[in-house]
Amino acid sequence: MTSSSSATSTLALVPGKTGHQLTFPGTGAKVETDPTPGAAPLFARDSALTRAGDGYYTWLDHIWSAAGCSAPVRLHGQVLTVDPHTGQLLSTLPTSTLPDGVIYKACGNRRATVCPSCAETYRRDAYQLVRSGLVGGKGVDESVSTHPAVFATFTAPTFGPVHTRHVRTHTCADANRCTCRPQPCHARRTIETCPHGVPQACFARHEPADERIGQPLCLDCYDHDHHVVWNNQAGELWRRTKQAAERHLNQLARRRGLPKVRIAHGKAAEYQRRGAVHFHVLLRLDGFDPDDPTAVIPPPDGLTVEDLTDAVKHAATTIAYTTPGHDERPGGWPIAWGDQLDIRPLTLRGDNPVTDAMVAAYLAKYATKGTEVTGHASRRLDKATIDQHADRNGTHTQRLIAACWDLGHPDHPGFDGLRRWAHMLGFGGHFFTKARRYSTTFAALRAARVRYRRAQDTSHEYAADAFDRQADLDDETTLVIGDLSYAGSGWKTTGDALLANTAADQARQRRAIGREELAHQLATEDTELVAA
């Protein structure tokens, strides 16, 4: 993302690469033609000046939907307009008549390290999706705000001692920029050594940026195989845990003579520094209508947030299973949650340490992250690229990737997913998921954005209830069909990237300032009402 005060392009200097060495498919981002022999090199400034003086505003309107994207997809072909009732072809628009001869589409990548602009759109959508399941809106009835809800964090078990930074009591305002004095990493009265001769103690008080955090005290003692298998099984473990929590609540409801209930959830996965996945989960207790299973209704009055907390705690501490056998471990690996379980009740009031807005922002933040915290970031690995990242005798992350590749050999059915997700250290689940009935969907949020933009383009009034109206998308008088094919990824020149990203950044800053002004105005009005 390029700020308006910076002249740095989002494009990588090497075609098809970013600063994090994530390979884009197809044509690289920088596609400027080489200068003629003896001519001066073509710089981003020169191509930006050329673009700014040649139909700049027409071009900007054309690429606006992808402005800010680090590597937009370029499509070429033709766009057909058809009468949906008669099938008559009304018009044809070849992309060759458009600026640059292509249509630009934002990549839509959710990872902030790949495309900050698209990831920010995804994060904002995730925030609205999570919060609407707590307070209503976006097509969700506001009665959900009365349902008991908790915010739980499920962690992985230990696979061997690692360097940690533990602060008993935080006094800082922002834990992400913590300056509190931590406890010694692994203080011991007597220092013992492992079978490999490595001392199993560390008296350092690690700073947040210390690269040793998350690294095993002894790489050879650490169980990398169990680690990646647990990552791969984390999704199944969560499924069984939720089922067990619902089963516990319904048993309690039957004993109290109450009707059936169910749990709706929103969940975000996060990598710890050691490379293990843990889950941040919002769980909401709902009633169940047998006549309309899709309806979201309040739970019976006889069940409280304390009952929901007990059910989640019971499920997290009792659910465990063993994987099928493997040549490396015939008895299979045990799969269970770690000892660090945190469950907190939620409220819509500010007098509780955990509010709906905090949880929504927390989950949305992790929805745009990946394995970057471990120091590794790559696309899917194959036989040609695995040797660049895997090494059984290498670093901690290299050993995890090697474990995925070795254990996921095709000769071991049931574990083949480990190779497919070796670049994710074995974890193959989505980073943000939710129950179907929890709230709205990403598709509905994108559709609302389309309707808003169409209203802007056609100068039609955008009604406040447009989110709930599908007619303007479903009842089209004409049908637009895109006969398009892939032409490449990235902006045509570094100058184009500079101009597009700068314009998009300025628009974001204007929106941010507008939101701040509205928030200030609302706060001022509330203060005046209280004073009156």
Side-chain angles (χ1 to χ4, degrees):
M1 187 186 311
T2 305
S3 66
S4 56
S5 60
S6 172
T8 303
S9 171
T10 58
L11 294 182
L13 295 179
V14 179
K17 298 283 187 179
T18 69
H20 296 273
Q21 299 300 301
L22 297 173
T23 304
F24 288 106
T27 308
K30 183 180 177 183
V31 293
E32 294 147 308
T33 56
D34 293 330
T36 57
L42 182 64
F43 296 104
R45 178 192 61 189
D46 302 323
S47 56
L49 289 173
T50 301
R51 174 68 72 184
D54 182 20
Y56 170 66
Y57 291 105
T58 301
W59 173 81
L60 190 61
D61 289 340
H62 175 60
I63 58 94
W64 185 246
S65 61
C69 181
S70 296
V73 177
R74 302 194 303 276
L75 303 171
H76 68 87
Q78 57 184 350
V79 179
L80 311 176
T81 304
V82 179
D83 187 322
H85 303 292
T86 64
Q88 179 184 1
L89 179 62
L90 302 178
S91 65
T92 302
L93 175 64
T95 59
S96 58
T97 63
L98 301 175
D100 296 340
V102 295
I103 292 176
Y104 288 93
K105 184 182 183 302
C107 68
N109 197 296
R110 65 158 191 90
R111 296 175 68 175
T113 53
V114 176
C115 182
S117 179
C118 291
E120 178 64 11
T121 300
Y122 185 92
R123 185 190 67 79
R124 291 183 182 277
D125 283 353
Y127 175 87
Q128 297 297 338
L129 190 150
V130 173
R131 195 162 190 267
S132 65
L134 288 174
V135 300
K138 308 296 183 185
V140 182
D141 193 275
E142 294 182 358
S143 63
V144 296
S145 63
T146 63
H147 297 204
V150 298
F151 180 61
T153 298
F154 300 86
T155 59
T158 180
F159 307 106
V162 298
H163 292 278
T164 62
R165 184 179 190 272
H166 175 65
V167 178
R168 286 183 179 175
T169 304
H170 282 278
T171 58
C172 55
D174 185 358
N176 292 326
R177 299 177 178 83
C178 178
T179 57
C180 302
R181 180 177 172 83
Q183 301 299 309
C185 177
H186 283 280
R188 298 287 187 269
R189 291 183 180 276
T190 58
I191 302 179
E192 300 180 354
T193 59
C194 70
H196 306 96
V198 179
Q200 297 298 286
C202 177
F203 298 92
R205 299 178 186 266
H206 297 297
E207 294 299 322
D210 195 329
E211 294 182 355
R212 290 177 293 176
I213 296 177
Q215 299 299 308
L217 270 63
C218 177
L219 282 169
D220 295 323
C221 288
Y222 194 87
D223 195 346
H224 294 88
D225 290 354
H226 191 185
H227 181 142
V228 298
V229 171
W230 191 93
N231 275 356
N232 193 248
Q233 293 287 320
E236 173 63 16
L237 179 61
W238 160 249
R239 187 186 68 84
R240 298 187 183 201
T241 301
K242 183 185 175 183
Q243 286 182 342
E246 279 191 341
R247 187 164 53 245
H248 181 87
L249 283 168
N250 281 302
Q251 291 172 352
L252 183 62
R254 282 195 297 270
R255 290 197 297 268
R256 296 178 181 178
L258 301 173
K260 185 178 179 180
V261 296
R262 60 188 176 189
I263 296 175
H265 77 276
K267 172 174 64 68
E270 178 195 5
Y271 278 95
Q272 296 173 306
R273 294 277 286 271
R274 59 176 172 151
V277 173
H278 65 199
F279 292 149
H280 302 289
V281 190
L282 189 155
L283 300 109
R284 188 189 70 208
L285 183 61
D286 295 342
F288 177 76
D289 184 356
D291 297 328
D292 185 7
T294 62
V296 178
I297 62 175
D301 294 335
L303 293 176
T304 65
V305 69
E306 288 76 17
D307 295 323
L308 178 58
T309 301
D310 292 341
V312 174
K313 186 178 299 183
H314 168 78
T317 54
T318 59
I319 292 300
Y321 65 97
T322 303
T323 68
H326 190 284
D327 288 349
E328 295 295 327
R329 187 155 179 164
W333 287 274
I335 304 298
W337 297 112
D339 296 332
Q340 295 181 346
L341 174 67
D342 184 30
I343 306 175
R344 305 184 186 186
L346 289 179
T347 180
L348 302 184
R349 300 182 300 274
D351 57 350
N352 189 297
V354 183
T355 65
D356 61 296
M358 293 170 56
V359 169
Y362 198 69
L363 294 183
K365 176 181 71 172
Y366 286 114
T368 63
K369 296 182 181 296
T371 59
E372 296 82 9
V373 69
T374 68
H376 170 78
S378 72
R379 296 275 181 164
R380 180 163 282 121
L381 303 176
D382 54 28
K383 293 181 179 180
T385 58
I386 185 63
D387 291 339
Q388 302 174 19
H389 303 279
D391 186 354
R392 274 291 189 177
N393 298 311
T395 64
H396 176 54
T397 305
Q398 288 174 335
R399 295 186 186 210
L400 290 175
I401 298 174
C404 288
W405 196 259
D406 294 343
L407 297 177
H409 193 276
D411 293 341
H412 305 298
F415 293 90
D416 50 327
L418 285 168
R419 279 201 172 185
R420 177 176 174 81
W421 300 106
H423 64 297
M424 303 304 291
L425 310 184
F427 178 64
H430 291 286
F431 276 78
F432 182 83
T433 60
K434 69 174 187 67
R436 183 175 300 174
R437 292 172 298 274
Y438 173 76
S439 68
T440 184
T441 63
F442 282 107
L445 293 172
R446 287 192 291 267
R449 193 155 46 241
V450 169
R451 289 192 291 274
Y452 177 78
R453 287 174 177 168
R454 286 186 182 180
Q456 284 184 317
D457 292 341
T458 59
S459 301
H460 293 319
E461 182 179 357
Y462 179 72
D465 64 344
F467 187 89
D468 301 313
R469 293 189 287 105
Q470 296 291 336
D472 54 350
L473 284 184
D474 298 336
D475 298 335
E476 298 288 353
T477 57
T478 57
L479 180 64
V480 179
I481 301 175
D483 181 17
L484 303 169
S485 58
Y486 178 73
S489 296
W491 297 103
K492 186 176 181 181
T493 67
T494 50
D496 287 355
L498 176 65
L499 292 173
N501 289 303
T502 300
D505 181 70
Q506 290 173 340
R508 285 190 293 269
Q509 290 183 18
R510 288 194 295 270
R511 286 195 295 268
I513 293 172
R515 285 192 295 268
E516 292 174 0
E517 290 294 331
L518 288 174
H520 175 72
Q521 181 179 350
L522 291 174
T524 303
E525 291 175 354
D526 291 342
T527 303
E528 291 175 350
L529 288 174
V530 172

